[in-house]
Amino acid sequence: DAGVIQSPRHEVTEMGQEVTLRCKPISGHDYLFWYRQTMMRGLELLIYFNNNVPIDDSGMPEDRFSAKMPNASFSTLKIQPSEPRDSAVYFCASSLRGAGEAFFGQGTRLTVV
Amino acid sequence: KQEVTQIPAALSVPEGENLVLNCSFTDSAIYNLQWFRQDPGKGLTSLLLIQSSQREQTSGRLNASLDKSSGRSTLYIAASQPGDSATYLCAVIGGNNRLAFGKGNQVVVIP
């Protein structure tokens, strides 16, 4: 398996623009997680899905953030409108069970100018 | 709320020395604990997963121990090499399936 695949690897956008991050989990994994990493706050869970259903979105910072998982092999994290404080590395991870070993993608480095 | 602490934040060791990295957590009601490695600008690579019923896990030069009652885990890396230079992250998984991360130990192995 190719592991968790995220795209794009880097994204630079202007404040106010819409940003969409994409993730393909490991085939067969039924849990998918979105994390954000910053120097100040470290890694924070934004939202996670089980069998394509959002279970806990309490980490989503504002209504500007939304996430979907239309099928077992694809998820998106959207920010609309984007702001400079959204600049961070966004990671997607998947696991076979909720408390099972988590595998991370390479991340998307987002810069909002 | 689960708090995970990793001390020291950064350390340097000469090549060949054994590395000892510490992780502590405040809520002992965990399912699993996972150690990751992160290289600069890269994603997280899973090193070891310790289930709550286990006391340790080993993989090659790596050994991780878990003491749930005291809220501690230790990652040992034997005979360190320059290629071991990276940031090591500890994460605990509770009943809510959320991984709570420490800030990491930034390790430099000096040739």
Side-chain angles (χ1 to χ4, degrees), chain A residues 60-110:
Chain A
M60 297 285 261
E62 299 171 33
D63 291 345
R64 298 184 295 106
F65 286 69
S66 63
K68 294 182 179 180
M69 191 165 186
N71 57 63
S73 59
F74 184 65
S75 177
T76 60
L77 178 68
K78 185 177 293 187
I79 308 172
Q80 165 65 17
S82 57
E83 297 182 4
R85 60 193 167 119
D86 301 331
S87 297
V89 182
Y90 291 80
F91 287 104
C92 175
S94 70
S95 68
L96 186 54
R97 298 175 289 111
E101 188 173 6
F103 294 88
F104 280 69
Q106 290 295 298
T108 295
R109 181 173 297 277
L110 173 66

Side-chain angles (χ1 to χ4, degrees), chain B residues 7-60:
Chain B
I7 296 173
L11 69 158
S12 297
V13 298
E15 181 179 359
E17 269 199 15
N18 296 333
L19 271 166
V20 181
L21 307 178
N22 296 304
C23 170
S24 61
F25 46 94
T26 55
D27 185 351
S28 62
I30 66 169
Y31 280 167
N32 297 323
L33 184 144
Q34 194 167 355
W35 281 94
F36 295 87
R37 168 184 172 139
Q38 186 174 29
D39 293 286
K42 303 291 187 183
L44 279 68
T45 301
S46 178
L47 297 175
L48 290 166
L49 175 77
I50 311 176
Q51 297 181 4
S52 61
S53 58
Q54 298 175 314
R55 293 195 63 83
E56 67 176 337
Q57 274 282 9
T58 298
S59 175

